[in-house]
């Protein structure tokens, strides 16, 4: 007998965790599937503390390129040999397969989108329009900020809307100096305290509890408290099976990661939150006579318009700073410069823009060494049809599931934006007399903000989902991770992903009550 639930959620990361919380607290019986194991905070910390030789990364040649690979924990990143993919554009697909997904390695930066992002095509004429505006997400942003205890300052900026924040974190002495120099010389540029989530609960022993940043330490706990959540780890979703007449998802076919046996589960509603590229893969692989290109492919846009964030990080030392203390960093404990290009400072050679985040006096240094600083420009990558995810029927993963081909190239707009960002940061650091010692520019995928590929829209002929993340091809399927994005903006997308998931779940509950799902 197949299991049957009110809702089946695929993925337990930030989007899946919020879906579980919202649906369980509304009284629904929910099954959450995850492709990886259930780890405790205790065992992850113990594994992190265990000495590791560099050879340990041999099975993770892609994952080990990520800056947080060693500092977070290699076991929170997939084995690249068991999880292959192909790219012609040096795309680096960074993945985490465990209950909680990549929420366990999320840095906790929580920024709202503004209408400068949602309405961008109406201003510059490029790309498809979002079917929503910032007002549609305001209550959901606030709901999430209160629950996750987001810290931040209220600065009254149109390019970075204020939220329901706890007290803001403090800027360091050097950050305050940088703020004074920049804002006095460039009156349209603002240096503010970042907005984000503290690294851990006050007084909580890190070896025993997950951070509020993770699904495991926040939303999944809240969902579990209702007694209506079942979490099933080690279940890799192979494909969705739709009714040939109605298009409704009848069941999900899974394979057990450990035993390699196949099983099926069913639910009134399916919420896909497996992460951007994995969700696209599941949709593409769910082909049938009714859906020959996969579920969601009827518009011809499924798998297209993939985008992400390119970044350029400049770093160096703070002269004569040996006496300065080091401060916490991550989440709210950083500075942020909201986007200024093509808002208050128009430019003619590229569209959209970038924001900057970073830290000064926040990185530990050796005794009698100068303090360090870094500034990362996070640049919007435009969604183009050529940015694509497609099935690779010549390669399969360790479970016999077709792998994917991922291709995303940075083009002229991205190169011009990158040059401008490097020039602006160099100029600002020069004015603040900060020594520049190096620079790092990311390849596609490396910043782990892949977005799009199953975008939402107002028209079923040009989008995969409607404005509530409901699939046009299947009324009981909702896709709530980053794949639903129409464009990338410059902000860390995590808060918007969670807000979209919470909004979609309100829609699910309302339509279930009406008997329409």
């Amino acid at each position: 007998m197949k299991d049957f639930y009110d809702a089946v959620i695929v993925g337990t990361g930030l989007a899946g965790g919020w879906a579980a919380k919202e649906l369980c607290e509304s009284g629904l019986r929910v099954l959450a599937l995850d492709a990886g194991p259930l780890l405790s905070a205790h065992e992850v910390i113990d594994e992190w503390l265990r000495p590791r030789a560099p050879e340990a990364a041999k099975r993770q040649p892609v994952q080990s390129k990520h800056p947080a690979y060693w500092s977070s924990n290699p076991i929170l990143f997939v084995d690249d040999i068991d999880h292959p993919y192909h790219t012609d554009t040096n795309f680096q697909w960074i993945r985490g397969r465990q209950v909680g997904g990549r929420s366990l390695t999320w840095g906790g930066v929580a920024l709202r989108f503004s209408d400068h992002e949602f309405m961008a095509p109406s201003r510059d004429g490029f790309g498809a329009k979002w079917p929503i505006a910032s007002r549609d997400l305001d209550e959901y942003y606030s709901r999430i900020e209160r629950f996750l205890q987001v810290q931040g300052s209220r600065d009254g900026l149109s390019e970075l809307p204020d939220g329901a924040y706890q007290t803001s974190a403090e800027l360091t002495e050097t950050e305050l100096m940088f703020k004074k120099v920049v804002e006095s010389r460039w009156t349209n540029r603002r240096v503010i305290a970042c907005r984000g989530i503290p690294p851990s609960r006050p007084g909580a022993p890190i070896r025993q509890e997950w951070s509020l940043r993770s699904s495991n330490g926040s939303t999944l706990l809240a969902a579990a408290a209702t007694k209506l959540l079942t979490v099933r780890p080690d279940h890799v979703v192979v494909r969705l099976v739709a009714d040939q007449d109605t298009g409704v998802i009848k069941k999900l076919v899974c394979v057990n990661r450990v035993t390699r046996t196949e099983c099926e589960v069913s639910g009134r509603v399916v919420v896909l939150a497996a992460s951007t590229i994995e969700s696209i893969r599941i949709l593409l692989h769910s082909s049938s006579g009714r859906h020959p290109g996969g579920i969601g492919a009827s518009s011809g846009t499924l798998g297209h318009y993939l985008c992400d964030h390119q970044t350029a990080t400049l770093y160096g030392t703070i002269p004569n700073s040996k006496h300065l203390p080091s401060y916490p960093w991550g989440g709210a404990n950083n500075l942020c410069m909201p986007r200024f290009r093509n808002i208050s400072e128009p430019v003619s050679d590229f569209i959209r823009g970038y924001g900057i985040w970073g830290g000064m006096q926040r990185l530990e240094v050796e005794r009698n060494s100068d303090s360090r600083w870094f500034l990362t420009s996070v640049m919007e990558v435009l969604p183009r049809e050529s940015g694509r995810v497609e099935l690779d029927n010549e390669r399969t993963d360790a479970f016999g599931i077709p792998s994917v081909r991922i291709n995303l190239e940075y083009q002229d707009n991205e190169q011009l934006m990158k040059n401008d960002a490097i020039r602006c940061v160099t100029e600002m650091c020069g004015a603040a007399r900060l020594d520049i010692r190096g620079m790092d520019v990311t390849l596609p995928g490396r910043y782990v903000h892949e977005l799009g590929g199953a975008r939402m829209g107002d028209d079923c002929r040009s989008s995969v989902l409607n404005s509530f993340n409901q699939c046009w091809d299947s009324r009981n399927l909702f896709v709530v991770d980053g794949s639903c994005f129409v464009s990338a903006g410059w902000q860390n997308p995590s808060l918007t992903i969670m807000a979209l998931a919470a909004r979609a779940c309100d829609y699910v509950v309302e339509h279930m009550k009406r008997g329409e799902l």
Side-chain angles (χ1 to χ4, degrees):
M1 181 178 178
K2 289 181 288 190
D3 294 330
F4 189 86
Y5 294 82
D6 293 320
V8 178
I9 301 170
V10 181
T12 56
L14 294 175
W18 269 94
K21 176 184 183 297
E22 296 296 305
L23 296 178
C24 286
E25 290 182 344
S26 296
L28 302 186
R29 182 170 171 260
V30 173
L31 171 66
L33 301 171
D34 200 282
L38 175 61
L39 303 170
S40 70
H42 179 90
E43 63 187 307
V44 170
I45 293 296
D46 282 350
E47 180 70 14
W48 181 71
L49 293 173
R50 185 170 64 85
R52 283 176 171 268
E55 292 76 19
K58 283 185 176 180
R59 293 187 64 89
Q60 296 175 298
V62 176
Q63 308 306 309
S64 59
K65 290 182 172 68
H66 190 265
Y69 173 78
W70 291 109
S71 60
S72 291
N73 196 320
I75 68 170
L76 298 179
F77 297 82
V78 301
D79 182 310
D80 289 314
I81 308 303
D82 286 343
H83 302 84
Y85 70 98
H86 182 78
T87 179
D88 297 316
T89 58
N90 293 317
F91 189 93
Q92 296 177 350
W93 188 13
I94 308 299
R95 288 178 278 177
R97 274 193 164 184
Q98 60 275 325
V99 173
R102 293 191 313 210
S103 76
L104 302 188
T105 52
W106 176 39
V109 174
L111 307 178
R112 293 188 179 205
F113 266 40
S114 76
D115 282 332
H116 291 288
E117 287 71 52
F118 288 122
M119 304 300 179
S122 63
R123 294 187 173 95
D124 56 40
F126 182 90
K129 297 179 181 178
W130 283 80
I132 58 174
S134 60
R135 64 178 179 273
D136 297 306
L137 290 185
D138 184 64
E139 67 173 289
Y140 300 99
Y141 279 141
S142 295
R143 183 186 303 179
I144 292 160
E145 288 158 347
R146 292 189 183 100
F147 180 78
L148 295 181
Q149 301 174 27
V150 174
Q151 294 179 303
S153 56
R154 295 176 178 84
D155 302 287
L157 304 175
S158 68
E159 59 269 33
L160 187 61
D162 294 336
Y165 301 134
Q166 307 285 317
T167 302
S168 174
E170 298 278 338
L171 293 176
T172 69
E173 293 95 326
T174 307
E175 289 167 350
L176 288 169
M177 177 275 294
F178 183 74
K179 173 182 174 70
K180 182 177 179 180
V181 169
V182 169
E183 293 183 354
S184 63
R185 183 163 175 177
W186 293 275
T187 56
N188 293 326
R189 301 181 191 181
R190 295 292 305 276
V191 179
I192 64 174
C194 200
R195 293 148 183 199
I197 301 166
S200 60
R201 292 187 181 90
I206 192 169
R207 291 172 60 86
Q208 296 178 17
E209 292 193 46
W210 289 109
S211 163
L212 274 170
R213 295 177 181 177
S214 69
S215 300
N216 309 45
S218 57
T219 50
L220 291 178
L221 283 180
T226 68
K227 309 298 184 184
L228 294 171
L229 175 67
T230 300
V231 176
R232 193 169 294 174
D234 298 318
H235 276 64
V236 182
V237 174
V238 179
R239 63 186 183 278
L240 312 177
V241 179
D243 184 275
Q244 284 294 102
D245 296 323
T246 65
V248 168
I249 305 301
K250 296 192 301 181
K251 62 184 179 181
L252 299 83
V253 178
C254 310
V255 61
N256 187 289
R257 182 184 69 88
V258 179
T259 66
R260 306 298 169 93
T261 55
E262 198 171 272
C263 68
E264 298 176 354
V265 297
S266 300
R268 288 175 63 188
V269 165
V270 175
V271 179
L272 192 53
S275 81
T276 295
I277 295 172
E278 189 62 35
S279 288
I280 295 169
R281 177 167 81 154
I282 291 170
L283 292 171
L284 289 170
H285 194 223
S286 302
S287 58
S288 64
R290 182 184 177 95
H291 306 292
I295 295 174
S298 60
S299 67
T301 62
L302 179 63
H304 295 278
Y305 302 101
L306 182 72
C307 54
D308 75 339
H309 288 140
Q310 182 184 31
T311 67
T313 299
L314 274 68
Y315 55 89
T317 55
I318 304 167
N320 304 314
S321 60
K322 294 181 178 66
H323 65 287
L324 294 176
S326 294
Y327 289 78
W329 77 285
N333 296 313
N334 286 104
L335 66 80
C336 175
M337 291 189 65
R339 173 183 158 191
F340 49 87
R341 287 306 202 201
N342 291 320
I343 295 181
S344 56
E345 297 183 24
V347 293
S348 59
D349 55 352
F350 63 85
I351 62 172
R352 312 290 167 92
Y354 53 88
I356 300 167
W357 76 278
M360 300 170 179
Q361 282 178 251
R362 295 190 183 276
L363 300 175
E364 291 291 337
V365 295
E366 295 181 4
R367 190 175 179 182
N368 294 322
S369 297
D370 282 331
S371 294
R372 292 180 288 167
W373 63 270
F374 72 95
L375 290 172
T376 298
S377 300
V378 183
M379 295 166 267
E380 177 167 359
V381 173
L382 296 178
R384 301 180 177 90
E385 188 177 21
S386 58
R388 186 173 185 182
V389 178
E390 56 188 335
L391 288 183
D392 185 348
N393 292 312
E394 296 180 0
R395 295 175 177 84
T396 59
D397 64 15
F399 312 101
I401 305 170
S403 188
V404 289
R405 300 172 66 92
I406 310 167
N407 286 308
L408 175 62
E409 289 187 285
Y410 296 154
Q411 300 186 23
D412 288 348
N413 200 73
E414 286 77 41
Q415 298 307 324
L416 291 167
M417 191 185 299
K418 178 190 72 176
N419 294 340
D420 185 82
I422 293 170
R423 184 168 55 251
C424 283
V425 172
T426 299
E427 190 176 29
M428 289 186 289
C429 289
R433 298 182 179 179
L434 296 173
D435 293 338
I436 298 175
R437 298 295 178 89
M439 179 175 65
D440 177 67
V441 178
T442 53
L443 291 169
R446 187 181 169 203
Y447 205 60
V448 205
H449 285 180
E450 63 272 11
L451 301 162
R455 69 186 184 191
M456 56 168 57
D458 284 326
D459 191 336
C460 63
R461 296 169 297 181
S462 59
S463 59
V464 176
L465 313 170
N466 70 13
S467 62
F468 290 93
N469 298 73
Q470 184 178 30
C471 183
W472 294 111
D473 289 357
S474 182
R475 68 176 183 274
N476 71 332
L477 172 62
F478 293 78
V479 184
V480 299
D481 53 31
S483 62
C484 74
F485 275 45
V486 179
S487 59
W490 62 269
Q491 297 92 331
N492 183 302
S494 299
L495 183 67
T496 299
I497 289 172
M498 291 185 279
L500 288 166
R503 181 172 180 265
C505 288
D506 271 6
Y507 181 91
V508 167
V509 171
E510 179 185 347
H511 283 73
M512 274 191 166
K513 289 177 179 177
R514 295 180 187 173
E516 298 172 358
L517 279 175

